[in-house]
Structures are given as structure tokens and as C-alpha cells.
Amino acid sequence: MTPATKLISMRQKVREEMLPRLRQRYAGRGREGRSRMIQELCEQFGYSRKHAIKLLGAKAGWGGDPTVRKGRPPLYGAQVELVLWRIWKAAEQPCGKRLVELLDLWLPHYEREHGRLGKETRRKVLSISAAQADRLLAVRKSRCRVRGRCGTKPGSLLKTHTPIRTDNWDITRPGWIEADSVAHCGTSLEGDFIWSVTYTDIFSGWTSLRAVFNKGAAGIVAATRQVEAALPFELAGFDCDNGSEFLNWHLVSYFQNRPKRVGFTRSRPYHKNDNGHVEQKNWTHVRQLLGYERLEDPELCTPINTIYRELWEPLHNYFCPSAKLISKDRHGAKIKRRHDAPQTPYDRLLASDAIDPATKARLRATRAALNPFELQRRLEL
């Protein structure tokens, strides 16, 4: 044992022998006497004042039971954690702020699946904060754990004919759509494979998806026609990137050869943020479901589209809330962003005056017939 180690060991032994007597004296002192003892302990052993108070009050260090949790007892038990975990998994792993917003919507379905909760447990689940929910699930999340290739081929033919969107459109009502494509190519873009085409409404976040083989113009137009027919609102504008699957005469004719033309614009080349509303869906709506594997069998398009249309879209559009950016201000080197309260696309459409009462009634009836846990169970089959 080195001299330094011996000195440390001796000091520790002295502290261990002194501390029980100091605690007895500390308990019998008044306010001024306690303050002087704390000051002496800090000067003699180099403790911080707060640590010295805990030592003399027998709340930490020598004399305490290391197996006993110190501090305030936990408010939320294992039952609350289990409820949050099951809902978090079924709702496609939302962040804490989105999770607490969907609890009121999902809890009745949870009780039908897993049995009724006790009154106290239910109250705690519905009153938990976003930060506390993240803390409760942190350990479980840490146990759950490729980047793919970009498949955008520049479509130069119609670049000069398709204007670049220079404003944010009128985002006070639904109908303005952003579109993007996702390649299911694995590690190579060579050959033929399936693509997913994503359509996202800027106002509500309502998202539709279709799988096409080889992203030819005819397939993209057919997918767009199917999506438009199923939308609960009228299409007013269409914005895309500079890929050749969108910048072609077939799609231009589809939007312009109608009594009420649809605005057709494109983003700036190499500026993904121009289409930020749909770009963020490439992970949450496509990769999270189908991953990065190569899908080159054209017969897979039919079952993928069935999953998109009957399971995946209803789950996200009716039961998964998202937050919209309200403002973004720069303060020196930092940017402060403010978001609204998370809402589902369904809720945003119901709150819009642009949706007629008949469509709202149809949306309410559709959601009333859905069970998010049943949708999730069918996805996992």
C-alpha cells in the first residue's frame, strides 16, 4: 500500500469513527450550532455544504443502508410503466410529448385489450408528464435497438416548365400535398425494384402511401389517382422534388387537364427542407414498416398496398398525433422552435372549416369502427 493510499484509508477511518458522535451532537443543537458544525465539517474534510448536511442528517454516506433508495418515494409504479410501454410500442414509438397526448385516445382501447385499470392507475397514466414518461421508459427503450440509398434521378425535361415553390402556400386549409418517393433497393440501385410513393397534406399531416414497381410515369399517375380518390378533402396543389417520376408530361397532364386545375410546383434541387413535411414521413411511414431491404418482386406491390391502405394509413391518420412548427426564431447561435400541441391528422381535419359536415361524419364513423391495437396486431401477423 502506497503512502497516499494509507493516508486516504486513515482519513476514512477517522471520518467513520467521528461521524456517529457528530450526528448525535448535530441532532441536539439549535440552528446556529448546526450551522457552525456544518461549516467545520466542510473546512476539515473539503465537503460541499449540501453534502455535509446530508451526512450529519444521516440521509447519505456512513450509517445509511446502501440498499434503501434515498429521496422521495417513486410516484409511478411498474403497472403505469407497463401501460405506457404497451401503448408506446403499439403507437409506433412516439416521443414523450406525443405519447401523453394520445393516452386519452388509446386508453379505452387498451382496457378492452388488457382489462380494466384500477382507478388510481388510470389517474396516474392520464396525469403523467411527457418528461416523466420518457424517464420511465428510458431503460426499456435502450434495450430495443442502415442507411439506404437515395433514388432520386433528376428529371431535367420539365424543370423549366415546372415552377419552384417560393412560398408556403395557403396552409390554413387542407388540400396542398407534398409528394416524395422511397426506393426499396437494398444496397444497390441497379435493376428493377419496388418504390413507395408518399403523399402528405401540409395542413393536417394526413398521409397516404402507394407501392409501385419501377416508378414509371404510368404507375405514378395511377397511384396518384387512387390516393386523390380516397382523400377526405379536395386536392388544390401538388409539390414534389426534382425526380423524373414526378417531372413528366403524364403527371402534368393529369393535374392540368381538368375543369379546376391543380397547382403543380417543385422544390429547389438539393434542398430537402423545401419538402420537409413529406421527407420526415419517409422514416415514420415507410422505413419503419418496410425497412431497407431490397423488394424486387412486382407481385409484392399488391399486399404492400393492402397494408398501406387498410392498416398503416388508418393507424397513423386516426391515432398517431404529430406536432406542427409554429415559429422558429434565432437568438445568437441558437434557434428556438415552438410547436403546437400534438394532434392527429383526423383531429386537424375535424377542426377545419374547409371540411363539409358529411365528410366529418364519415371520418367519425370510420374512427369509431377502428381499434389501434387490432390494427397493430394485424400488422405483426
Side-chain angles (χ1 to χ4, degrees):
M1 185 180 293
T2 63
T5 306
K6 289 181 180 179
L7 181 60
I8 293 173
S9 178
M10 183 178 65
R11 286 179 177 175
Q12 183 175 353
K13 187 176 180 179
V14 170
R15 287 195 295 262
E16 291 175 351
E17 292 177 352
M18 288 177 56
L19 197 58
R21 295 195 297 270
L22 290 176
R23 283 174 175 164
Q24 291 178 358
R25 292 170 53 200
Y26 182 78
R29 294 288 182 93
R31 183 182 182 88
E32 294 184 3
R34 289 187 176 190
S35 180
R36 286 196 299 270
M37 287 188 66
I38 293 170
Q39 187 66 29
E40 290 173 5
L41 196 63
C42 292
E43 293 176 355
Q44 188 171 0
F45 296 106
Y47 294 141
S48 68
R49 188 173 180 83
K50 183 61 70 174
H51 185 60
I53 292 172
K54 291 180 179 180
L55 288 177
L56 292 173
K59 293 183 179 179
W62 304 291
D65 187 351
T67 63
V68 177
R69 185 182 185 274
K70 300 174 179 63
R72 189 174 61 179
L75 178 62
Y76 303 99
Q79 182 63 28
V80 174
E81 181 182 341
L82 180 61
V83 173
L84 293 177
W85 172 250
R86 285 173 172 171
I87 294 179
W88 180 81
K89 288 285 288 182
E92 299 301 324
Q93 301 88 51
C95 65
K97 290 183 179 180
R98 294 170 55 211
L99 177 61
V100 297
E101 290 293 333
L102 60 80
L103 289 175
D104 191 47
L105 170 63
W106 282 65
L107 213 51
H109 300 286
Y110 178 90
E111 291 182 320
R112 283 197 289 269
E113 289 287 316
H114 302 284
R116 291 191 62 82
L117 298 175
K119 184 177 180 181
E120 185 64 17
T121 301
R122 200 175 200 282
R123 183 191 65 79
K124 289 180 179 179
V125 169
L126 293 176
S127 63
I128 194 170
S129 69
Q132 184 62 44
D134 281 333
R135 283 192 290 269
L136 272 182
L137 297 178
V139 176
R140 289 179 181 261
K141 289 180 181 179
S142 65
R143 296 174 188 154
C144 293
R145 298 282 182 242
V146 246
R147 227 184 131 72
R149 294 176 174 270
C150 173
T152 301
K153 179 182 178 182
S156 57
L157 179 63
L158 293 180
K159 270 192 175 181
T160 56
H161 295 77
T162 307
I164 293 176
R165 191 179 73 187
T166 56
D167 55 19
N168 291 322
W169 278 339
D170 180 10
I171 56 172
T172 59
R173 59 179 297 271
W176 279 266
I177 296 290
E178 288 184 358
D180 195 16
S181 58
V182 181
H184 300 289
C185 61
T187 59
S188 173
L189 285 167
E190 295 183 0
D192 301 330
F193 47 86
I194 294 174
W195 294 71
S196 284
V197 188
T198 312
Y199 305 83
T200 299
D201 177 53
I202 297 176
F203 170 80
S204 64
W206 188 278
T207 300
S208 299
L209 303 109
R210 290 295 182 273
V212 298
F213 191 70
N214 256 1
K215 71 168 185 177
I220 297 295
V221 172
T224 305
R225 182 179 288 109
Q226 294 174 13
V227 166
E228 184 179 7
L231 288 176
F233 45 81
E234 183 181 358
L235 189 62
F238 185 90
D239 186 67
C240 59
D241 61 17
N242 293 272
S244 58
E245 67 271 28
F246 297 119
L247 297 186
N248 56 73
W249 287 114
H250 296 77
L251 199 59
V252 171
S253 300
Y254 172 73
F255 287 126
Q256 294 184 350
N257 295 337
R258 55 173 71 188
K260 187 176 180 181
R261 294 177 60 177
V262 173
F264 189 16
T265 58
R266 64 182 175 90
S267 62
R268 294 171 296 173
Y270 309 108
H271 286 73
K272 282 194 172 185
N273 283 346
D274 286 1
N275 275 346
H277 298 84
V278 70
E279 287 286 349
Q280 64 186 354
K281 308 298 183 185
N282 290 345
W283 161 247
T284 60
H285 286 61
V286 181
R287 295 302 187 191
Q288 200 162 342
L289 177 66
L290 300 179
Y292 291 90
E293 297 299 320
R294 184 178 180 88
L295 305 176
E296 54 186 10
D297 184 356
E299 295 184 359
L300 289 176
C301 285
T302 300
I304 290 175
N305 280 326
T306 301
I307 292 173
Y308 278 155
R309 187 173 55 253
E310 298 181 4
L311 303 177
W312 198 239
E313 292 177 19
L315 179 65
H316 281 272
N317 290 332
Y318 287 98
F319 295 102
C320 294
S322 60
K324 290 181 65 175
L325 184 67
I326 298 176
S327 64
K328 184 170 67 173
D329 303 312
R330 179 178 289 277
H331 301 276
K334 295 183 179 180
I335 295 179
K336 184 176 181 180
R337 296 176 175 85
R338 292 178 59 248
H339 297 80
D340 66 358
Q343 289 181 287
T344 63
Y346 161 86
D347 291 324
R348 295 186 190 277
L349 290 181
L350 288 190
S352 173
D353 295 333
I355 305 297
D356 61 85
T359 301
K360 291 182 179 180
R362 179 165 53 85
L363 291 173
R364 291 190 185 98
T366 300
R367 190 168 84 167
L370 294 172
N371 180 344
F373 288 96
E374 175 63 22
L375 296 175
Q376 190 62 244
R377 186 162 45 247
R378 291 174 59 190
L379 281 169
E380 294 174 357
L381 292 177

